[in-house]
Every structure is written in structure tokens, then in C-alpha cells.
């Protein structure tokens, strides 16, 4: 008798604990933006009238995953499972598929012309007297993308009663580049280790691979390069190709193709040849056979990504051949199977004493027109290396006969690793909307990479992934927004980064307006804050050799152009890199009107001032203040902005789950501490060079320059070796 209440109590406690655990698990960030939590009851009720039954096939793997995503999403959001049906039995049917797969859809006679293989329409219609919603693609993948779009409408609280949407991607290849190694390390990875469990593949296909594919498909990403551009050749051995094939099997229903980074010297390392010369017939035959072998295992294999003749990587120049020789040889091996080569232009050499910013252009521009049809040149957004701010890369628009694809960095190698809240949407948008003027006014980078300006149909955008084994995938909840915005912009590079941020906040956290507006504002200002506390006014590359923290004084790197002092060139008189006609003349790589603007101190946007000009400390800025004053002001503003971000977040306690709220709060505290460190260390150093007093009202650095110079940080994450 006495034990019964005790058992009951224990049972209830256990149940409560289990519930808590379930809730906690659900709010650890794993679900990303596909967090189908119940909508507010009145909203759900409204939607239920337009989501009463689901008419969708499951004859193909893609149809099956589309169906299961819609069932999962709608059940989660609306709080009840939707009945499946073959015919329309009531108002509120959702009809999903293609003309080819469904006689019902064929009967609707929707205009699916010009949608391409991945586009879709979403239309509110009336069929047999019943209101319904049609989600229709020309292919299963189009319908899958449409389904994700439909779910997004519900997740973000949009009206769904009068829909007339038509979408197709503006860019063909939309890929994540993983910098993952076979030993599990991730170069510039701040979110744990590699998500690919190579050792257990191909037999164990972790459920996470499917969730990865779902997340990517939901934003239109259709390719993944699973290994780092500086990987060894082992990935091309039969045992590893089988593992890659297993990943490809998981991704295929979601429209995602697998690509591999290949080491140019692979024919020597794993092929037993004595050379990797691209003009050697044995080398060519080796790559052809390798491509055939890959396609036997992975019929829809995407192709190769190559980092050659760059930062110590082997390449065609080892044999006195050109980048075109190297790329074309690989392209020819892939061409019979429909594969492509993404050849990177991130090429510079320490043997070349010229300005590093100029070297890729010098190397590649003369090769325009020499690349085979299935080669894309993958070009970083700026001429140096993913710095907080750089001008757009001068190659964009300079090679009209060659498709150039964009490479953005999603992982925050130079923007605060995992912990700093820096939303990269404004950075991406700034680059995409930059006017190269290469074909007259309006020749934006976006129009070059989407092929519209130069008439290319092979187009692409790649993002260096920020994904790892951390439960929240990206090292922080807000870093997920950078994966998200990359995908959305790759789908349509003219979308606004603010609109994308808002979508993401609503899907990831809540639709509560009191939360959404301040958080979107905070995200939109976060990149400029980072520029200010790290590298304002066109400075760049001021970080330590580990890429963690400030070290503008550093001259310890073996190579001149890895040293911060190479970039800022500060001396007693002034600061900045003279890239004008009287300096390195890097400006000449831009179209004449842009070159003229960057060449002119008065016309150069101040945010790029010290990138293009060496300027005296007492130079009068547009504000009327001196350059030195403005530099200190920007550094201070950056810290103040982070303080403001913290205050904003502090006011938002209670709007979202405790676990994610607390981690963001803790990370913002780290960010403030590190922003202060950046500001103080940089001001202390530049003051030691300029010899100028701090402008009145500005606090001196908290410590001496010596102190900042003495700091060391063993085991900085993201530095790996293959
Ligand atoms: C994959 C920068 C990074 C390297 C990276 C390289 C590249 O230099 O620091 O880690 O290597 O860019 O993009 O090739």
C-alpha cells in the first residue's frame, strides 16, 4: 500500500524528466530552420482550412522524401496529421507533383514552361468546386523545392489563400565546399569535427546525412564537395570512392550531387605514374579511367574541384603548363559523363614580388577563352582572402568568355570563429550588387555569376561550409543563418539579405514581432560592427598567424604576404597600401570607370580607403576629422555596437527557449570581450607607429602594447593538417 504513491511519483517524475529531455533536445539547434514547432493556435486554425489533405505520390525516392517532409512539417506546424488522398475530397487539398507523374496535375494545365529542371509553381486553384493548392515542378526535384517553399510560408506566417508563385534558380550549381579531411579534422572548422564518419562508411549511413540533405534541399543547395581543396589523393582510391558513393545515395533523392576535391598529383601518389603533367597521354588516360570508375559507382557524380599551384599545392605549372592545360585535361575526363571542373583562381605565389591582390588576375585573365566548356573558374569574392571587407575580385567581368563562379566563405575564419555573432548576408549582398562596369553601368557581380551578362549557361556559387559535428551543426545558432543566407542567395542572388534574415529568424526562433525586428536589426548591423572592431576603413589581414585575434604588428610569418605589416604598411607618416597607378597599380585590373574611382583618393569609398591608398594620419576625412581620429572612432564604434547587441539580446529573454538564449548571451559576452581586445590591441599598435595622442574622449587601451603582443593561444581551433 505504502509503495504505490511512491511508484506513481517516481513514474511521474520520470515522465516529466523525459518530457523535459525531449523538449531540451528539440531546442538544441539541431533542427536548424526546419523546426516545425506548433504555430500559434489561431494561425494554425487559419492554415488548416488550406491544408486539409495531401495528394502526392511516392513512386520515386524524391517523391517519397517530399511526401514525408510535408507530412512531418504540416503535422508539426498544424498539430495534426494530414490525411493522404488520391483524389480531392474536400476544400484545402494540397496537390504536389509533376505533370508527368500525376494525371490530376496534368489536368490542371498549369503553365510549367520555362521553369527549368528545378523550378516550381505554387498556385491557389479551384478543382471540381474545391479550393486547393498546387505545388508543381517539371521534375520531382522542382516539386520538392516547391514543398519546402510552401512549408516556409507557413513557418513565417504568410497568407496561403491566394498563392501565385513561380520560382526557378538563377544559378545552376549551388554547392557547399567542405574543407574536411579524412581524419575528421576540418580546416577553418569551428563546429566540431567532420560530419562524415569515413571510418564507418559505407556501411553506416548516419541519419545526420539525411538531415544535412534536407537542410540543403530546403534552401536549394544542389551540390556538395565533401573533402577539402587541400586533401590528399586517398579519397580517389576504390575504398574511399565506395564511401563517397554511399553519401551520394543518401543525397540523391534531395537533388544533391557529390563532387570531390582532387589533388593534381594524384596520378603519381596513387596511380604509380612518374608525372602528373596534364599533356602526358598516360596522365590523361589515368584521369579518364578514374572518372569512368567514379561514374560507375556514382552515375550522377558532379565533378572535380581543384586548388592547384597555390599555397604549396601541386599543379600544371610544376610541368610548365598553364591552368587551362590542367583544367582542360580533367574536364575532358569528365565530359563524357556530364561532369564539370571547378578550378580555383585563389592563386598567388611568394616567388612573385608583385602585390598579392593582383596575381590571380594576372594569372588567369590571359587565359580567357582557353578553357573547355565544362570548366568554371571558382573565384573568391575579393582579391585577398575572405577578409571582413574587400573590394570585389577584379576577375569578375574580366573574363567574358569563361564562366566565373563565386566562392564565399561561410565559416567565419576571419570573422570571429564560432562565437562572434556576424551575419554574413550583408557581406554577400555587398559583393553581389557591386557594379563591375565591365559591360557598362549595371554590370553587377550577380549578373556575371548568374551568366545573364555574358551569356553563360554553366553558372555556379560555392560556399565554404561552416558545418561540423556540433549538435547545432555550425558552432552557434546564429552561424546557421550564414549557411541559410548562402543557399538562398545562390538560388537568387538578387534577394535582400534583410528579407532572408527575417525568414531565418522566424523559422529558427519565433514569429513574435517583438523578437523578430530587433534580432533582424542586430544581425544586419553585425557585419559592419565586426569590420569596425577588426579592420575598419579598408584595412585587412591584421590577424595573428593562427587567425585568432589581432596582431597588426606581426612580421613573424615565413612569407611576406602572410604578414599583417605587408597589408597595412603603417609608418610614422601614414597607413594603407598604395594600389593606385603610382603604387602597385592594382586599380588597373578593374574596368576603367571603377579603376578611376579607386585610383582617386577623393572618390574611393572610405570603407575601402586604406585598401587602395597610403594616406597620411592627418588626412581630412569626409567628416572633417583626421584619418587617425576616424580610425580610433571606428574601432570604438565596433565595440559599442557589440555592447548594443548584448543589450538588445538581454531585453529578449523569455521569447525563446532557455538553452539557445543562454548560449547566444554567453557568446555575445565573448564577442564583446574580444571586440574590446581587437580595438585596444590595434589602437595600441597603430598609436605606437603614428606617435599621435588619442583623440579626446576616447578611452586608452586597457593594457600596454607589450601585453597584447605577449598573448599566445595554443590549440586554436580550425588549424588542421591532412
Ligand atoms: C583551404 C585561406 C585559408 C586556408 C584555405 C585557403 C584556401 O588561406 O586560411 O585554410 O585552405 O584560404 O581557400 O585555399
Amino acid at each position: 500500500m505504502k509503495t504505490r504513491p511512491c511508484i506513481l511519483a517516481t513514474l511521474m517524475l520520470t515522465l516529466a524528466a523525459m518530457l523535459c529531455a525531449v523538449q531540451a533536445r528539440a531546442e538544441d539547434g539541431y533542427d536548424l530552420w526546419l523546426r516545425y514547432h506548433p504555430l500559434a493556435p489561431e494561425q494554425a486554425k487559419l492554415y488548416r482550412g488550406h491544408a486539409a489533405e495531401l495528394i502526392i505520390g511516392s513512386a520515386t525516392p524524391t517523391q517519397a522524401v517530399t511526401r514525408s517532409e510535408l507530412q512531418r512539417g504540416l503535422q508539426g506546424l498544424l498539430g495534426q496529421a494530414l490525411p493522404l488522398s488520391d483524389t480531392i475530397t474536400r476544400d484545402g487539398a494540397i496537390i504536389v507533383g509533376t505533370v508527368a507523374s500525376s494525371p490530376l496535375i496534368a489536368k490542371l494545365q498549369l503553365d510549367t514552361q520555362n521553369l527549368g529542371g528545378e523550378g516550381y509553381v505554387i498556385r491557389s486553384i479551384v478543382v471540381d468546386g474545391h479550393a486547393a493548392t498546387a505545388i508543381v515542378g517539371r521534375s520531382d526535384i522542382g516539386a520538392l523545392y516547391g514543398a519546402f517553399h510552401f512549408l516556409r510560408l507557413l513557418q513565417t506566417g504568410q497568407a496561403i489563400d491566394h498563392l501565385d508563385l513561380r520560382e526557378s534558380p538563377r544559378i545552376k550549381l549551388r554547392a557547399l565546399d567542405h574543407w574536411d579531411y579524412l581524419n575528421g579534422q576540418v580546416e577553418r572548422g569551428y563546429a566540431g569535427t567532420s560530419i562524415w564518419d569515413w571510418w564507418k562508411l559505407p556501411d553506416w549511413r548516419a541519419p545526420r546525412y539525411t538531415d544535412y540533405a534536407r537542410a540543403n534541399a530546403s534552401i536549394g543547395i544542389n551540390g556538395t564537395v565533401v573533402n577539402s581543396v587541400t586533401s590528399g589523393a586517398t579519397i580517389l582510391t576504390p575504398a574511399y570512392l565506395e564511401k563517397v558513393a554511399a553519401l551520394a545515395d543518401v543525397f540523391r533523392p534531395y537533388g544533391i550531387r557529390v563532387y570531390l576535391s582532387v589533388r593534381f598529383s594524384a596520378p603519381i601518389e596513387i596511380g604509380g605514374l612518374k608525372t602528373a603533367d596534364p599533356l602526358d597521354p598516360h596522365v590523361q588516360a589515368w584521369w579518364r579511367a578514374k572518372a569512368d570508375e567514379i561514374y560507375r559507382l556514382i552515375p550522377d557524380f558532379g565533378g572535380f574541384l581543384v586548388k592547384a599551384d597555390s599555397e604549396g599545392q601541386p599543379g600544371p605549372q610544376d610541368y610548365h603548363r598553364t591552368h587551362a592545360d590542367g583544367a582542360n585535361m580533367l574536364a575532358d575526363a569528365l565530359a563524357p559523363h556530364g561532369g564539370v571542373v571547378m578550378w580555383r583562381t585563389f592563386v598567388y605565389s611568394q616567388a612573385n614580388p608583385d602585390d598579392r591582390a593582383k596575381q590571380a588576375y594576372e594569372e588567369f585573365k590571359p587565359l580567357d577563352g582557353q578553357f573547355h566548356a565544362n570548366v568554371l573558374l571558382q573565384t573568391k569574392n575579393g582579391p585577398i582572402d575572405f577578409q571582413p571587407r574587400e573590394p570585389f575580385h577584379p576577375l569578375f567581368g574580366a573574363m567574358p568568355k569563361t564562366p566565373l563562379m563565386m566562392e564565399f566563405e561561410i565559416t567565419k575564419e576571419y570573422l570571429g570563429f564560432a562565437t562572434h555573432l556576424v551575419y554574413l548576408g550583408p557581406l554577400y549582398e555587398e559583393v553581389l550588387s557591386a557594379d563591375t562596369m565591365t559591360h557598362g553601368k549595371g554590370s553587377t557581380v550577380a549578373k556575371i555569376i548568374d551568366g545573364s551578362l555574358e551569356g553563360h549557361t554553366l553558372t555556379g556559387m560555392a560556399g565554404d561550409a561552416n558545418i561540423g559535428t556540433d549538435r547545432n551543426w555550425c558552432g552557434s545558432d546564429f552561424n546557421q543563418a550564414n549557411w541559410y543566407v548562402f543557399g538562398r542567395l545562390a538560388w537568387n542572388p538578387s534577394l535582400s539579405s534583410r528579407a532572408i534574415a527575417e525568414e531565418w529568424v522566424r523559422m529558427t526562433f519565433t514569429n513574435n514581432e517583438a523578437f523578430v525586428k530587433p534580432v533582424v536589426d542586430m544581425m544586419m548591423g553585425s557585419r559592419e560592427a565586426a569590420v569596425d572592431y577588426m579592420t575598419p576603413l579598408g584595412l585587412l589581414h591584421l590577424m595573428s598567424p593562427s587567425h585568432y585575434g589581432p596582431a597588426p604588428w606581426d612580421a613573424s610569418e615565413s612569407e611576406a604576404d602572410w604578414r599583417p605589416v605587408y597589408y597595412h604598411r603603417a609608418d610614422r607618416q601614414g597607413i594603407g597600401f598604395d594600389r593606385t597607378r603610382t603604387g602597385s597599380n592594382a586599380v588597373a585590373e578593374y574596368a576603367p570607370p571603377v579603376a578611376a574611382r579607386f585610383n582617386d583618393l577623393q572618390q574611393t569609398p572610405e570603407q575601402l580607403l586604406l585598401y587602395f591608398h597610403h594616406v597620411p594620419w592627418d588626412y581630412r576625412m569626409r567628416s572633417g576629422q583626421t584619418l587617425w581620429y576616424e580610425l580610433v572612432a571606428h574601432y570604438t564604434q565596433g565595440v559599442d555596437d557589440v555592447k548594443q547587441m548584448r543589450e538588445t539580446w538581454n531585453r529578449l529573454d523569455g521569447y525563446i527557449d532557455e538553452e539557445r538564449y543562454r548560449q547566444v548571451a554567453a557568446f555575445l559576452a565573448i564577442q564583446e570581450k574580444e571586440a574590446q581586445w581587437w580595438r585596444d590591441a590595434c589602437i595600441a599598435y597603430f598609436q605606437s607607429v603614428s606617435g599621435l595622442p588619442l583623440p579626446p574622449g576616447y578611452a586608452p587601451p586597457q593594457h600596454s602594447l607589450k601585453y597584447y603582443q605577449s598573448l599566445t593561444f595554443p590549440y586554436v581551433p580550425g588549424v588542421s593538417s591532412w
Side-chain angles (χ1 to χ4, degrees):
M1 287 293 286
K2 266 190 166 172
T3 53
R4 212 171 271 160
C6 190
I7 291 170
L8 251 179
T10 318
L11 254 173
M12 280 169 72
L13 274 175
T14 317
L15 260 175
M18 277 167 61
L19 267 176
C20 280
V22 167
Q23 241 176 6
R25 257 207 314 278
E27 293 298 337
D28 57 10
Y30 182 83
D31 291 339
L32 298 159
W33 49 88
L34 300 178
R35 184 179 156 274
Y36 302 129
H37 280 218
L39 294 167
E42 62 287 2
Q43 188 75 11
K45 193 165 159 224
L46 212 63
Y47 285 149
R48 271 186 221 120
H50 304 280
E53 66 184 2
L54 199 50
I55 303 178
I56 181 170
S58 62
T60 67
T62 298
Q63 289 172 16
V65 301
T66 308
R67 178 156 118 176
S68 93
E69 194 70 34
L70 279 167
Q71 286 179 310
R72 172 185 187 149
L74 293 170
Q75 169 154 13
L77 293 164
L78 306 182
Q80 64 186 42
L82 248 66
L84 284 168
S85 174
D86 291 332
T87 53
I88 296 183
T89 67
R90 62 191 101 181
D91 278 346
I94 302 172
I95 309 160
V96 189
T98 64
V99 171
S101 70
S102 152
L104 173 57
I105 289 176
K107 218 175 74 183
L108 300 177
Q109 299 206 319
L110 295 171
D111 175 14
T112 56
Q113 291 305 308
N114 307 322
L115 275 183
E118 296 175 305
Y120 55 86
V121 292
I122 305 180
R123 179 86 55 86
S124 301
I125 49 171
V126 176
V127 196
D128 300 337
H130 289 295
T133 306
I135 304 175
V136 177
R138 282 179 76 85
S139 69
D140 285 348
I141 293 298
L144 173 68
Y145 287 155
F148 275 117
H149 189 149
F150 183 72
L151 287 168
R152 185 163 74 231
L153 295 174
L154 272 67
Q155 288 176 280
T156 55
Q158 313 283 308
I160 57 166
D161 47 351
H162 287 94
L163 294 174
D164 187 6
L165 300 167
R166 190 181 179 83
E167 287 266 339
S168 42
R170 293 250 306 268
I171 291 180
K172 195 168 172 195
L173 312 180
R174 307 174 299 277
L176 285 184
D177 289 0
H178 289 262
W179 286 354
D180 294 20
Y181 296 100
L182 300 184
N183 65 4
Q185 289 183 313
V186 181
E187 175 134 354
R188 311 306 174 188
Y190 310 103
T193 54
S194 172
I195 55 169
W196 317 130
D197 193 345
W198 291 112
W199 193 249
K200 301 195 194 85
L201 280 164
D203 304 310
W204 167 239
R205 301 171 181 201
R208 195 168 190 147
Y209 305 152
T210 304
D211 289 330
Y212 167 86
R214 290 175 52 234
N216 279 326
S218 76
I219 48 177
I221 288 174
N222 65 1
T224 176
V225 185
V226 294
N227 62 323
S228 171
V229 285
T230 49
S231 299
T234 310
I235 194 91
L236 291 174
T237 58
Y240 274 86
L241 288 177
E242 251 190 74
K243 296 168 192 274
V244 176
L247 289 177
D249 289 345
V250 177
F251 302 155
R252 190 165 297 114
Y254 292 91
I256 298 168
R257 286 171 182 239
V258 164
Y259 298 74
L260 290 177
S261 291
V262 296
R263 188 162 164 85
F264 201 77
S265 51
I268 303 174
E269 283 145 22
I270 57 166
L273 300 189
K274 293 215 160 40
T275 176
D277 181 350
L279 300 194
D280 182 298
H282 296 104
V283 173
Q284 294 169 351
W286 187 87
W287 281 109
R288 273 200 307 275
K290 187 51 75 181
D292 295 347
E293 179 189 349
I294 295 173
Y295 279 93
R296 275 196 297 278
L297 288 166
I298 310 169
D300 57 351
F301 179 68
F304 296 149
L305 171 64
V306 191
K307 172 173 176 171
D309 295 314
S310 165
E311 299 187 327
Q313 294 302 306
Q317 293 182 341
D318 295 340
Y319 308 94
H320 309 289
R321 311 295 185 196
T322 68
H323 285 281
D325 293 332
N328 291 340
M329 183 261 301
L330 294 174
D332 290 351
L334 294 165
H337 308 283
V340 301
V341 169
M342 298 179 281
W343 190 270
R344 293 176 95 222
T345 65
F346 180 64
V347 170
Y348 63 99
S349 159
Q350 272 97 24
N352 182 350
D354 206 355
D355 180 1
R356 171 170 159 188
K358 292 167 63 182
Q359 295 185 26
Y361 179 100
E362 281 168 357
E363 196 79 52
F364 284 92
K365 161 101 178 137
L367 301 176
D368 192 22
Q370 294 185 26
F371 291 93
H372 290 179
N374 55 335
V375 177
L376 293 124
L377 292 187
Q378 181 168 308
T379 300
K380 289 189 178 183
N381 58 268
I384 303 295
D385 189 11
F386 299 136
Q387 294 298 299
R389 171 167 281 121
E390 295 183 37
F392 66 86
H393 202 297
L395 275 175
F396 291 116
M399 297 186 66
K401 296 187 203 128
T402 313
L404 256 67
M405 65 183 284
M406 173 63 75
E407 179 173 348
F408 281 129
E409 192 173 48
I410 307 174
T411 187
K412 301 204 315 300
E413 175 183 3
Y414 300 107
L415 284 135
F417 291 7
T419 48
H420 293 209
L421 193 166
V422 181
Y423 171 56
L424 297 174
L427 188 163
Y428 300 161
E429 191 175 6
E430 179 177 300
V431 177
L432 292 167
S433 62
D435 196 345
T436 68
M437 302 286 286
T438 45
H439 300 62
K441 211 164 160 28
S443 309
T444 59
V445 171
K447 286 191 198 160
I448 287 156
I449 63 156
D450 74 10
S452 57
L453 207 60
E454 294 164 345
H456 296 297
T457 47
L458 181 57
T459 55
M461 194 190 289
D464 301 322
N466 62 352
I467 296 163
T469 47
D470 275 10
R471 189 67 194 154
N472 66 19
W473 300 84
C474 302
S476 86
D477 291 298
F478 274 91
N479 283 342
Q480 297 174 358
N482 293 331
W483 176 6
Y484 186 84
V485 68
F486 166 77
R488 299 284 288 125
L489 286 173
W491 179 273
N492 180 356
S494 59
L495 291 176
S496 109
S497 62
R498 173 175 282 273
I500 297 171
E502 179 171 336
E503 250 173 49
W504 177 83
V505 170
R506 289 177 182 278
M507 294 163 85
T508 304
F509 291 115
T510 169
N511 275 309
N512 191 328
E513 303 297 338
F515 181 90
V516 174
K517 167 91 173 60
V519 172
V520 171
D521 286 346
M522 177 173 82
M523 289 169 73
M524 290 305 291
S526 61
R527 183 273 184 136
E528 204 57 42
V531 169
D532 274 342
Y533 65 72
M534 289 180 172
T535 53
L537 298 174
L539 290 172
L540 47 72
H541 213 289
L542 301 186
M543 69 290 164
S544 77
S546 68
H547 297 188
Y548 176 65
W553 51 81
D554 192 82
S556 68
E557 283 278 20
S558 55
E559 313 300 340
D561 55 12
W562 287 352
R563 300 175 190 153
V565 292
Y566 171 91
Y567 292 97
H568 63 66
R569 310 204 159 197
D571 56 25
R572 199 71 172 175
Q573 280 68 48
I575 180 171
F577 198 130
D578 184 0
R579 294 192 164 95
T580 67
R581 285 181 197 127
T582 51
S584 78
N585 201 21
V587 292
E589 293 184 348
Y590 291 95
V594 178
R597 192 152 46 88
F598 288 157
N599 190 61
D600 181 353
L601 184 57
Q602 304 300 324
Q603 288 187 58
T604 303
E606 285 189 343
Q607 55 186 21
L608 290 172
L609 186 72
L610 305 177
Y611 180 87
F612 286 112
H613 300 273
H614 187 81
V615 183
W617 294 109
D618 61 359
Y619 171 74
R620 286 281 152 201
M621 303 285 285
R622 271 160 221 155
S623 65
Q625 303 288 357
T626 65
L627 167 64
W628 169 241
Y629 179 100
E630 285 269 322
L631 191 69
V632 175
H634 273 275
Y635 270 116
T636 309
Q637 185 63 52
V639 182
D640 288 348
D641 287 347
V642 178
K643 287 187 177 140
Q644 192 58 54
M645 286 160 70
R646 283 189 76 189
E647 275 167 32
T648 301
W649 194 251
N650 287 342
R651 285 198 299 275
L652 296 173
D653 195 1
Y655 284 95
I656 64 164
D657 55 288
E658 191 66 8
E659 189 175 358
R660 290 185 300 167
Y661 177 82
R662 290 278 153 242
Q663 191 183 61
V664 172
F667 283 8
L668 281 169
I670 295 174
Q671 186 173 4
E672 185 185 329
K673 199 167 59 179
E674 295 187 351
Q676 185 76 50
W677 168 34
W678 265 93
R679 175 213 182 258
D680 286 351
C682 291
I683 289 180
Y685 170 70
F686 289 129
Q687 192 175 21
S688 79
V689 181
S690 73
L692 293 167
L694 278 184
Y698 285 93
Q702 289 175 352
H703 302 278
S704 68
L705 175 59
K706 255 202 163 67
Y707 166 82
Y708 295 115
Q709 289 174 326
S710 73
L711 299 175
T712 55
F713 300 94
Y715 308 117
V716 167
V719 182
S720 35
S721 57
W722 55 276

